[in-house]
Amino acid sequence: MRRTVAVTAVAVLVCAGGAGLVGPSAQAAGRTARPAPAKQAVAMGYGGGVATVDADATRAGIDVLRHGGNAVDAAVAAAATLGVTEPFSAGIGGGGFLVYYDARGRKVHTIDGRETAPASATDKLFVDPATGKALPFEAARVSGLSVGVPGTPATWERALDSWGTYSLREVLAPATKVASKGFVVDETFRTQVDDNRKIFGDFTTSRDLYLPGGAPPRVGTVFRNPDLARTYQLLGRQGTKALYDGTLGADIVHTVQHPPLAPGADREVRPGGMTTGDLAAYRALMRAPTKVTYHGLDVYGMAPPSSGGSTVGEALNILEAKGITKRDQVAALHSYLEASALAFADRNRYVGDPSQVDVPLRELLSQGFAGERACEIRSDSILAKPVAPGVPDGDYSRCGEHASVAPTEQREGPSTTHVTTSDRWGNVVAYTLTIEQTGGNGMVVPGRGFLLNNELTDFSFTPTQGTAPDPNLPAPGKRPRSSISPTIVLDDGRPLLALGSPGGATIITTVLQTLVNRLDLGMSLPRAIAAPRASSRNTALEAEPAFRTSPAGRALAARGFSFTSVPEIGAETGIEFGRGGFVLAAAEPTRRGGGSAMVVHPRPER
């Protein structure tokens, strides 16, 4: 039976984070713009919906839907606009993963747009040859070594060619206009520039774009990026061959090999080995989605090299085997935290690029393996961390059989963004894209207006799995493991939920906790997104302050869970689907400055 959308009264959040197409360049004029449009975190109605972190991006997607485009067209238009207004999280210099529900065929498809390592990469990519030790993270990040071949343009083109109705030129038009005419700087944009001030200041192109006069753009001024507008126009005219076999790609390669270091900068910046041949060899790949069944619902996610679908799926299977109920929120959260740790142990041990690593995906997502892992969770104690990975060998007659391994913590950048869209025909997109760290590798491509990614730092720098093989070491043409977790939930073959989040490795726990909040604890989707979060990744536990001080947080602390406080975890967007085409689009009410949700025909539920 189809479920109905749970609706609660939600306050409209007004903030300075919208994007008005107004005025001359703030870099040149320093003028104060007119007030930006308000962001609305929740919207309900018909005709399809869009939810992103940014009002301009959401509006771009909605405008496409209102002019007859579908969910794929809207997702690409919104993502391209985020490349303008959220350039430190996403853009054509990065990559991502897209999950699509085709209403006509009632089938879920996915595109792997993950970046790839150049042919010159080896397992010593991030090892200092002078010392034989791993490079410090910042030295690896701020370099040409960290740049993977971008996958975002190829993802857009493949999605549009497969399921879209608009051309690439048409869906890039809204973003081109925003880049050309400008958008209003909000506090998040200013802070992200300020956080990268030292890095951006060391590169001429980044300094000139983001530090006019030596300081970040002021909140309320108008920021323009005419170079990016021209880059989008080039892609619109020539298609992605401009990047993968043209002048745009040649400029990327030159930047990787010859970083635009500013005179007087005292930073050592290692060049990378990417070539135009690496760009020409890139493909955005169609992959079969992951699928698990949870409470009779089909949960689809992204398969490796993303670990999102496998880790969220395994954790849900563990929770299904364990059994949780909304009558005991503390017990449910206890199980959620422990299931996350167990699934992360298995992720780190077994998941990598399936073209180069034998990933036991079927066994990781089997209910038998989940039962063997679930038996380790105890209500009267907590597991010592880090837990060892399990043994997904098909024989699940024993409780708590462990692989012989001493895992170590791995690092993954937090900066990403997520787009959720739907249309009047019932098609749905959950799309997460990224350039890795906030600000990527810190280098703007000269004359092109976008930052390069540092995605290759998602590889293990050195082996992390003790005496066992590490599935995530660099190699030629390999795609680094990701935690990106775009997720679509079907009820009897039709969409119930679509969601995703930024946050590095916390993406997985953000999506998982939101599913538990909505499907197990009975929260509405807006409440499930807004609720305080905790993250257990088989390392030190993290929690937002509101979670630590909540009754459930205090009860968990009394059981022995020890949380490190972090300001915020994730920045989610999602859509829930009701009867007769009704949709509820939801974004963060406050995290990362609050998100933006819109529907084509706003209307209260009847």
Side-chain angles (χ1 to χ4, degrees):
M1 179 180 293
R2 294 282 294 152
R3 300 188 178 200
T4 58
V5 178
V7 181
T8 58
V10 182
V12 175
L13 177 69
V14 179
C15 70
L21 306 183
V22 294
S25 168
Q27 298 98 303
R31 297 176 184 172
T32 300
R34 61 183 171 85
K39 285 183 180 179
Q40 180 175 311
V42 178
M44 297 174 286
Y46 298 87
V50 180
T52 79
V53 74
D54 176 74
D56 269 325
T58 298
R59 184 188 296 110
I62 285 292
D63 285 347
V64 166
L65 294 177
R66 286 175 174 161
H67 286 87
N70 67 15
V72 171
D73 304 321
V76 176
T81 305
L82 287 168
V84 181
T85 60
E86 290 281 315
F88 317 116
S89 301
I92 60 173
F97 296 93
L98 186 147
V99 178
Y100 169 66
Y101 171 79
D102 176 15
R104 177 176 293 180
R106 297 178 68 173
K107 186 175 180 181
V108 176
H109 307 266
T110 73
I111 298 178
D112 168 6
R114 185 63 159 162
E115 301 86 343
T116 61
S120 59
T122 72
D123 61 355
K124 301 293 193 299
L125 179 65
F126 295 116
V127 174
D128 187 340
T131 66
K133 297 181 179 180
L135 291 171
F137 180 78
E138 184 162 308
R141 172 201 168 185
V142 186
S143 75
L145 298 174
S146 66
V147 185
V149 176
T152 290
T155 301
W156 294 351
E157 191 166 66
R158 182 130 202 200
L160 292 170
D161 288 348
S162 299
W163 312 299
T165 62
Y166 277 24
S167 68
L168 181 61
R169 182 175 185 175
E170 289 171 320
V171 297
L172 289 178
T176 303
K177 186 176 182 180
V178 175
S180 177
K181 292 188 176 294
F183 63 92
V184 179
V185 173
D186 65 4
E187 181 59 34
T188 298
F189 188 95
R190 189 208 67 80
T191 297
Q192 290 179 342
V193 174
D194 197 45
D195 289 345
N196 280 284
R197 185 193 295 248
K198 180 63 173 72
I199 294 172
F200 289 171
D202 282 344
F203 297 100
T204 56
T205 50
S206 308
R207 178 195 63 197
D208 293 347
L209 181 59
Y210 293 121
L211 295 168
R218 297 192 308 276
V219 173
T221 57
V222 178
F223 186 90
R224 297 174 61 244
N225 191 338
D227 283 347
L228 183 56
R230 286 188 288 269
T231 298
Y232 278 168
Q233 289 169 343
L234 176 66
L235 287 171
R237 290 193 306 271
Q238 297 186 6
T240 64
K241 68 179 182 180
L243 191 150
Y244 296 105
D245 189 26
T247 57
L248 179 55
D251 288 345
I252 290 173
V253 168
H254 187 269
T255 306
V256 170
Q257 295 182 358
H258 306 280
L261 201 62
D266 59 2
R267 182 188 302 271
E268 180 186 0
V269 180
R270 292 169 171 82
M274 184 188 295
T275 68
T276 55
D278 294 318
L279 294 176
Y282 185 84
R283 299 292 183 273
L285 304 174
M286 295 284 191
R287 294 194 186 274
T290 61
K291 177 188 175 185
V292 299
T293 301
Y294 190 64
H295 303 329
L297 304 171
D298 293 324
V299 182
Y300 289 87
M302 196 67 222
S306 174
S307 63
S310 64
T311 312
V312 170
E314 181 187 342
L316 288 174
N317 282 343
I318 292 171
L319 292 173
E320 184 101 315
K322 187 66 181 174
I324 58 177
T325 171
K326 69 179 179 180
R327 290 191 298 272
D328 191 340
Q329 182 186 26
V330 175
L333 291 171
H334 179 131
S335 294
Y336 150 71
L337 294 168
E338 298 290 59
S340 297
L342 292 164
F344 261 90
D346 300 327
R347 162 202 188 263
N348 293 345
R349 171 62 186 86
Y350 298 110
V351 178
D353 183 343
S355 71
Q356 303 196 27
V357 175
D358 184 13
V359 182
L361 186 60
R362 182 186 297 272
E363 293 304 322
L364 288 173
L365 292 177
S366 69
Q367 202 59 57
F369 183 57
E372 190 170 86
R373 298 299 266 160
C375 74
E376 299 187 54
I377 301 175
R378 299 282 185 263
S379 60
D380 57 352
S381 63
I382 64 173
L383 295 168
K385 309 298 187 304
V387 298
V391 183
D393 59 359
D395 179 6
Y396 304 124
S397 59
R398 298 171 299 279
C399 178
E401 184 179 14
H402 294 146
S404 177
V405 66
T408 58
E409 185 173 357
Q410 295 172 280
R411 178 168 184 162
E412 187 170 345
S415 185
T416 305
T417 196
H418 181 80
V419 176
T420 313
T421 65
S422 69
D423 60 36
R424 61 185 174 179
W425 300 282
N427 304 302
V428 183
V429 173
Y431 177 32
T432 313
L433 61 160
T434 181
I435 60 172
E436 185 57 9
Q437 293 297 121
T438 304
N441 83 334
M443 302 178 201
V444 170
V445 179
R448 300 302 188 178
F450 64 90
L451 287 155
L452 291 177
N453 71 81
N454 66 297
E455 293 293 348
L456 300 190
T457 59
D458 272 353
F459 282 124
S460 304
F461 286 18
T462 55
T464 66
Q465 298 301 298
T467 58
D470 188 321
N472 194 42
L473 289 169
K478 190 174 183 180
R479 301 182 183 215
R481 181 172 59 214
S482 171
S483 294
I484 286 176
S485 307
T487 301
I488 293 178
V489 181
L490 304 186
D491 182 358
D492 194 25
R494 298 186 184 278
L496 173 65
L497 294 169
L499 69 161
S501 176
T506 67
I507 293 172
I508 291 169
T509 58
T510 296
V511 169
L512 178 61
Q513 186 176 356
T514 302
L515 291 172
V516 169
N517 288 345
R518 177 67 188 94
L519 302 177
D520 292 293
L521 300 181
M523 298 181 190
S524 67
L525 180 61
R527 281 192 60 211
I529 288 174
R533 294 186 184 128
S535 179
S536 173
R537 306 185 302 281
N538 203 26
T539 56
L541 277 70
E542 295 177 340
E544 296 173 334
F547 185 94
R548 296 183 67 198
T549 58
S550 68
R554 290 194 179 101
L556 290 166
R559 292 186 177 201
F561 289 96
S562 178
F563 299 103
T564 299
S565 184
V566 292
E568 61 183 31
I569 297 173
E572 201 161 18
T573 72
I575 298 177
E576 184 162 348
F577 303 87
R579 294 189 177 95
F582 183 84
V583 296
L584 184 158
E588 296 284 355
T590 58
R591 294 181 183 97
R592 202 190 271 190
S596 172
M598 298 178 68
V599 296
V600 174
H601 301 297
R603 193 178 305 173
E605 187 178 23
R606 296 174 179 175

